């Protein structure tokens, strides 16, 4: 059973998220209403050797309702790398998404709150992030893709390769990308190989080329 901490200042939404996740077999071990309480709660759980698997947090929380939530999550990623963090936002805030992804794409997610209404996808995202995967909202990926087109790093990629890389940045596997684009697994593997080649990512036992490709994409 995955252990979840929810950080959301709206009591109604926090209780709704708790009910939604517990109904699907996850254990919500704590619910808090601000960034400071989130940090203290996770620290206390760590002291009891009971770290959660994932934190689900709003970007904006008291006292200023600006970036307390995402900053708390960035701090948690530094202190407890094994804890996944899934940030929820009312709309795309590219700066916060980039800041959250700056260190590593492992165990991180950024979704718009509207995505919570798509219950199955939302729960899948929570589980994926808890397991060390990535969950990026398609609208976040699209904005980052639009920005990336202004740079030269990805200029050599074809439109289809850019599309594949964008889906990779959402945390999708090759099989999931193939299903989304309605192509064969082999076609996706060929696109991914071309992406690695064009980005100059040689195979290495020390580096994960898929993660490096996504980071290149997000930082370009």
């Amino acid at each position: 059973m995955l252990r979840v901490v929810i950080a959301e200042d709206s009591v109604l939404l926090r209780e709704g998220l708790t009910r939604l996740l517990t109904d699907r077999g996850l254990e919500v071990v704590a619910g808090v209403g601000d960034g400071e309480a989130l940090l203290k709660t996770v620290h206390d759980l760590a002291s009891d050797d009971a770290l959660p698997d994932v934190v689900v947090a709003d970007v904006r929380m008291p006292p200023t309702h600006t970036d307390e939530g995402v900053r708390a999550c960035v701090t948690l990623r530094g202190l407890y790398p094994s804890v996944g963090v899934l940030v929820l936002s009312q709309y795309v805030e590219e700066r916060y998404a980039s800041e959250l992804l700056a260190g590593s794409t492992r165990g991180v997610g950024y979704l718009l709150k509207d995505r919570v209404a798509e219950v199955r996808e939302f729960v899948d995202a929570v589980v994926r992030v808890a397991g060390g995967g990535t969950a990026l909202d398609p609208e976040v990926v699209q904005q980052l893709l639009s920005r990336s087109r202004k740079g030269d790093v990805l200029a050599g990629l074809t439109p289809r390769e850019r599309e594949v890389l964008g889906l990779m940045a959402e945390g999708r596997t090759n099989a999931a990308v193939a299903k989304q684009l309605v192509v064969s697994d082999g076609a996706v593997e060929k696109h991914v190989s071309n992406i690695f080649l064009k980005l100059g990512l040689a195979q290495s036992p020390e580096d994960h080329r898929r993660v490096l490709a996504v980071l290149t994409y997000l930082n370009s």
Side-chain angles (χ1 to χ4, degrees):
M1 182 179 292
L2 294 178
R3 295 163 49 80
V4 186
V5 170
I6 297 175
E8 165 61 58
D9 63 295
S10 166
V11 175
L12 183 62
L13 180 54
R14 187 166 72 237
E15 292 301 318
L17 290 172
T18 299
R19 178 67 179 271
L20 187 156
L21 294 175
T22 54
D23 282 352
R24 283 154 183 81
L26 284 72
E27 181 185 3
V28 177
V29 296
V32 298
D34 60 71
E36 184 176 342
L38 172 58
L39 291 173
K40 182 179 186 304
T41 296
V42 175
H43 178 70
D44 289 345
L45 289 169
S47 298
D48 293 334
D49 196 25
L51 271 175
D53 298 291
V54 60
V55 167
V56 178
D58 190 1
V59 165
R60 299 171 179 266
M61 288 195 291
T64 68
H65 292 280
T66 54
D67 60 356
E68 284 85 355
V70 72
R71 292 208 174 279
C73 285
V74 170
T75 299
L76 288 176
R77 281 171 62 74
L79 294 173
Y80 310 105
S82 66
V83 178
V85 294
L86 176 59
V87 170
L88 303 178
S89 180
Q90 194 67 42
Y91 50 87
V92 178
E93 299 180 88
E94 186 180 316
R95 177 169 63 89
Y96 296 150
S98 298
E99 183 175 1
L100 191 66
L101 294 160
S104 167
T105 59
R106 185 187 184 284
V108 64
Y110 189 110
L111 297 180
L112 297 184
K113 285 188 174 179
D114 289 346
R115 206 66 59 186
V116 176
E118 301 171 16
V119 175
R120 182 175 179 178
E121 290 187 19
F122 172 66
V123 175
D124 285 348
V126 173
V127 173
R128 187 161 66 248
V129 170
T134 305
L136 295 181
D137 194 287
E139 291 190 34
V140 175
V141 172
Q142 184 58 44
Q143 285 207 15
L144 295 173
L145 178 60
S146 297
R147 182 185 65 174
S148 74
R149 287 175 179 151
K150 300 176 183 179
D152 296 326
V153 177
L154 305 181
L157 301 185
T158 66
R160 177 61 93 182
E161 288 163 356
R162 288 175 180 271
E163 192 172 11
V164 169
L165 185 53
L167 291 171
M168 287 166 59
E170 291 180 28
R172 313 241 181 165
T173 63
N174 283 3
V177 172
K179 183 177 180 180
Q180 176 75 19
L181 300 180
V182 195
V183 299
S184 68
D185 289 357
V188 173
E189 289 174 6
K190 183 176 180 181
H191 287 313
V192 172
S193 294
N194 288 338
I195 290 168
F196 292 157
L197 180 64
K198 292 179 179 180
L199 295 183
L201 300 174
Q203 190 166 6
S204 166
E206 289 82 22
D207 297 320
H208 194 308
R209 290 192 295 173
R210 197 177 187 88
V211 172
L212 292 176
V214 170
L215 288 174
T216 300
Y217 163 69
L218 294 174
N219 291 326
S220 64

